[in-house]
Amino acid sequence: MADLKERTFIAIKPDGVQRGIIGEVIKRFEAKGFKLVGMKMLSASQDLLQQHYIDLKARPFFPTLIAYMSSGPVVAMVWEGKGVVKTGRVMLGETNPADSKPGTIRGDFCIDVGKNIIHGSDSVESANKEIALWFKPDELVCYTSCAYDWLY
């Protein structure tokens, strides 16, 4: 059973920021019932991007990927909730937008695998690594420390 406190890392890539879909992504995750526990807009450094995509370093498209991801601002987010990693991936759609179903973020908003507007962690383990790479612990909200009860 998925943990209610499970977290995932979601990043709106430069093309998604440029196209103005930040609010739509947030809307979809909130409507699903997930809690936003961290968010920031930044121009990601080469070092940060190389660490984030370290598993793709040997791939021929790596330099192009780093150039694309550093071409403009990125919106980095941490979402929390039951099964958020798996459900988040389903909400994003396939890496190749041509394989993404209508109703998914990529299926509704993009057509090019080289500019597929959004990233989502593919496992709880990678989510934990990515969150630690992009956020300091004090940049994340803990809803259990709020002065009033939340729904979950």
Side-chain angles (χ1 to χ4, degrees):
M1 184 168 162
D3 183 6
L4 291 173
K5 300 286 184 194
E6 182 177 295
R7 289 181 171 178
T8 195
F9 176 76
I10 301 290
I12 302 174
K13 298 176 180 182
D15 56 318
V17 173
Q18 181 183 22
R19 292 187 48 212
I21 66 157
I22 299 165
E24 180 65 31
V25 170
I26 292 170
K27 176 183 164 187
R28 289 181 184 213
F29 275 81
E30 285 182 330
K32 190 69 176 173
F34 297 125
K35 293 184 286 191
L36 182 61
V37 298
M39 181 171 76
K40 59 183 163 182
M41 179 183 277
L42 70 153
S43 294
S45 70
Q46 296 278 319
D47 184 53
L48 173 61
L49 293 169
Q50 289 175 356
Q51 289 177 57
H52 180 85
Y53 290 111
I54 192 76
D55 58 321
L56 301 175
K57 189 173 184 172
R59 305 292 293 267
F61 59 82
F62 184 75
T64 306
L65 173 62
I66 299 303
Y68 153 61
M69 288 297 293
S70 60
S71 68
V74 173
V75 174
M77 298 177 283
V78 178
W79 289 91
E80 182 178 273
K82 183 178 180 181
V84 71
V85 172
K86 182 177 179 181
T87 302
R89 293 286 291 189
V90 171
M91 291 170 62
L92 268 56
E94 299 298 321
T95 301
N96 184 346
D99 298 330
S100 293
K101 294 181 172 142
T104 65
I105 293 167
R106 290 181 180 135
D108 291 348
F109 295 106
C110 66
I111 57 172
D112 184 353
V113 71
K115 290 187 170 80
N116 64 5
I117 69 174
I118 196 161
H119 165 83
S121 301
D122 61 4
S123 69
V124 172
E125 180 183 73
S126 65
N128 291 335
K129 288 178 186 175
E130 292 169 353
I131 291 166
L133 187 60
W134 290 78
F135 288 88
K136 297 174 187 163
D138 65 350
E139 294 177 313
L140 302 175
V141 173
C142 179
Y143 286 94
T144 58
S145 64
C146 293
Y148 56 94
D149 290 334
W150 287 78
L151 296 174
Y152 46 87

